Each structure stands twice: as structure tokens, then as C-alpha cells.
Amino acid sequence: MIAQLDLRDFDAVRDARLAHGTPFVIAHRGASAVAPENTMHAFALAIEQGAHLIETDLWFSKDRELILLHDRNLKRTTGRDAHVTDLSTAEAVSMPVDLSERDAPEPQFVPLLASLLELASKADVALLLELKDPRFSVASWTRVLIEVLAEHEFLSRVLVTSFKPRCLLAIREVCPELPVGPVAMNMLLPQPEWDFVGPAWPNLVANPLFVWHAHRNQVLVAPLDSDPTARMSKHARQGVDAVLTDDVTATVAALSTTAD
């Protein structure tokens, strides 16, 4: 379903969402509730569990390759106290991920965006890419991402987000057709200049008409809520387009009881 959609087409996405009957499921850093976050195992497991989109985070290595990692520093996930931006690509992808709190069938390493694109291109999933590296605000760095997406023929299957609007504006400058939208902790009204928005879920409680306003301006909504199970019925009733989750299996099960 998602693989056939052009995420640049608001009407097509909305029609598919309504036909689906429930919000699409976005796997936050992969199936991160049960697998080591932002690893190939977490991404593959999320696809197996029924995710429609995979969310991940982007940094540049020292030699300008795109690395999938939430923190700039590798210490939390690998134990090495080093910034990914100071490492070569070869050094970054050789970092084994700490598996002490999550399961994986084999050792996992910090991956490249290209590896996820290869996996996703064979599956019915799209990607939600969060720009972490502040250098995405510079057009020459942004072009690296656009070129990788174009090389893998993935420009129609990607949404790009960030807490830094200046990075999204740089994306717009280089590739105007690529859908972009901010993540925001405080956003009581959707901003019509974006293609989609990711407001923290309390904003939808404070403004029950948030989604209605967004759709009126052809803006998609995917609230920031990594554990949405308790609020699933409300999210579905409000008509959000997608829900973000760490636990794909639990979210898919919860959504099955809340069909529109």
C-alpha cells in the first residue's frame, strides 16, 4: 500500500489513509521497544510486525556519509565516547551496538542510510527521516541526502522532519517537491506552510480541532507520541494520518480495535 503511494500527493495519502480505516503506523527508530534502536534488525523487525513507515535519525560522518543514529555521541548505544561527526564512515559503521537491554539474533552495527534504503526498497514501507545534524541547514550538505534518495529512487516514499525548521527550509530550497514538516513540542495550530506536522500529542488534547485545521490546509498529521496505545482511540477519532510508536506489535493490535 505505502510503497505504491506518492507521499508528495496529499490527496492520494488521505484517500489511502481513509481506505485503510486507521492511521498508518510509524516505527520509531525501528521496533525499538524490543530491538536495539536504529539498527538493521530493528528496521527489519518493524517491517515484519506491520509498520508502514520507518522513522530514523540522520547524522553525517566525517567524510559526509549519512549515518543512522539518534545521538551525536555514540556512548549511549555503543559504549564508545565519540561523536559520529568526528569519525570516518568506516569507523562509524564498525561500531557494535550494545545489546544488553535489547534482543538481536546477531551482532548489530551503526548503519548507513543506504543500507536502510536497500531494505525498504524491497518492502512495502516508506521512511520518515529526522534531520539531526545541524549541517542540513546548508544546501551543499542537504544535496547529499537528496542525491542518495534519488539514487535509490526513493524520493516519493520519504517524509523529512526536524526540530530545526532551518534544516527543512534548506531541503525545500534544494528539492521543493520533497514533503517536509517540523516536530514541535508546542504547536496549538498547524502551520499551513508545511506538508505535514508532528506536534507532541498534548497539543491535540489542547486543541481537539488541530487535525481538522491541518487537513483543511492539506497538511498531514503524525503526532509525536512514542507510546500511543493509551490514546489510540482518540488519535483515530481525530483522524490523524499516522501514529509514531516504539512498540509496533502493540500499536497494530490496538488499532485493530479502533477502525474508523
Side-chain angles (χ1 to χ4, degrees), residues 59-68 74 80 83-95 109-115 141 144:
W59 290 92
F60 287 104
S61 66
K62 187 177 180 179
D63 44 354
R64 294 171 67 108
E65 293 284 343
L66 288 161
I67 308 294
L68 306 185
L74 289 149
R80 178 174 176 180
H83 289 166
V84 66
T85 50
D86 295 332
L87 300 178
S88 69
T89 301
E91 290 175 306
V93 301
S94 69
M95 291 294 103
F109 298 86
V110 176
L112 290 168
L113 174 61
S115 299
W141 290 84
V144 176

Side-chain angles (χ1 to χ4, degrees), residues 183-206:
V183 187
M185 302 309 294
N186 296 300
M187 183 190 290
L188 287 177
L189 278 174
Q191 300 158 323
E193 64 266 31
W194 302 114
D195 302 296
F196 71 96
V197 291
W201 66 265
N203 291 278
L204 274 63
V205 175

Side-chain angles (χ1 to χ4, degrees), residues 3 16 19 27 31 39 81 92 96 116 122 125 154 158 187 198 201 209 225 236 242 245:
T39 61
D81 188 5
L116 175 56
K122 302 171 186 174
V125 291
F154 227 84
V158 169
M187 183 190 290
W201 66 265
L209 294 178
D225 187 355
T245 182

Side-chain angles (χ1 to χ4, degrees), residues 117-139:
L117 288 168
E118 290 172 8
L119 173 68
S121 67
K122 302 171 186 174
D124 185 20
V125 291
L127 300 181
L128 174 60
L129 302 178
E130 183 175 344
L131 310 181
K132 291 291 190 183
D133 198 311
R135 289 173 293 185
F136 278 111
S137 63
V138 180

Side-chain angles (χ1 to χ4, degrees), residues 203-232:
N203 291 278
L204 274 63
V205 175
N207 179 8
L209 294 178
F210 186 102
V211 178
W212 181 85
H213 281 289
H215 290 166
R216 188 181 182 191
N217 290 292
Q218 295 199 314
V219 177
L220 301 170
V221 180
L224 177 62
D225 187 355
S226 61
D227 185 17
T229 306
R231 291 166 288 278
M232 195 63 69

Side-chain angles (χ1 to χ4, degrees), residues 97-115:
V97 173
D98 181 4
L99 302 181
S100 60
E101 296 183 4
R102 294 289 187 269
D103 293 327
E106 57 188 18
Q108 296 294 306
F109 298 86
V110 176
L112 290 168
L113 174 61
S115 299

